């Protein structure tokens, strides 16, 4: 079985990745803050959101 720290890290990776996947699938072509996003910009925005969520998750669970 995996150690608790390894499981937390895998969960944080998943928490980081999901917004990137979702934003890349949903946001291209939409207007956000007055800018029409392409796929790379949507992935970048998802990465920022995912980073905040992933770090927040790790801080919350210790």
């Amino acid at each position: 079985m995996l150690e608790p720290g390894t499981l937390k890290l895998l969960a944080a990776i998943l928490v980081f990745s999901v917004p990137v996947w979702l934003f890349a699938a949903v946001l291209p072509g939409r207007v956000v803050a007055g800018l029409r996003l392409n796929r790379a910009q949507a992935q970048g925005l998802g990465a920022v959101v995912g980073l905040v969520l992933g770090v927040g998750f790790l801080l919350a669970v210790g």
Side-chain angles (χ1 to χ4, degrees), residues 9-56:
L9 184 58
L10 290 173
I13 291 170
L14 184 66
V15 167
F16 169 78
S17 300
V18 169
V20 177
W21 295 329
L22 289 176
F23 281 40
V26 174
L27 289 182
R30 295 190 188 239
V31 177
V32 175
L35 300 171
R36 188 172 196 84
L37 297 179
N38 61 29
R39 184 174 171 87
Q41 292 167 328
Q43 285 177 326
L45 185 59
V48 171
V49 170
L51 182 62
V52 169
L53 292 175
V55 170

